[in-house]
Amino acid sequence: MEAQLKTEKKAKRPTRYHSKTDLAGRYRVVTRTVDRWRVLGLFPEPDLILPNGAPRWSDELVVAHERAAVGKKGAA
């Protein structure tokens, strides 16, 4: 029984999406800064646009961007 539990895959967590306000709070900037980062190519485009036009970024996309940004700082 125990061996069977170990071989089963863990249930995948549902994707969490971040709003522009969430991201601004995460990085301690105003929402306009997030917009500017997108225009300058310093932050990825959202991977979801709601029907009302509001952009949303998946947790995976945000974490991948942060990891890549940390790698760029270390290389300089």
Side-chain angles (χ1 to χ4, degrees):
M1 178 80 170
E2 187 177 327
Q4 184 181 15
L5 292 176
K6 287 182 181 179
T7 59
E8 290 181 22
K9 277 189 166 181
K10 290 184 180 180
K12 187 178 180 208
R13 287 186 342 198
T15 299
R16 178 170 188 260
Y17 286 93
H18 301 277
S19 68
K20 194 184 328 179
T21 303
D22 293 340
L23 294 173
R26 182 181 185 117
Y27 301 121
R28 297 182 179 154
V29 297
V30 296
T31 56
R32 181 66 187 107
T33 300
V34 177
D35 289 331
R36 191 167 30 87
W37 288 344
R38 284 176 57 197
V39 169
L40 295 173
L42 300 174
F43 200 77
E45 290 297 316
D47 45 5
L48 176 67
I49 304 291
L50 297 180
N52 66 359
R56 294 292 186 265
W57 290 262
S58 68
D59 199 43
E60 294 85 0
L61 181 65
V62 172
V63 170
H65 171 73
E66 290 171 350
R67 287 182 177 157
V70 168
K72 287 179 186 175
K73 281 185 185 178

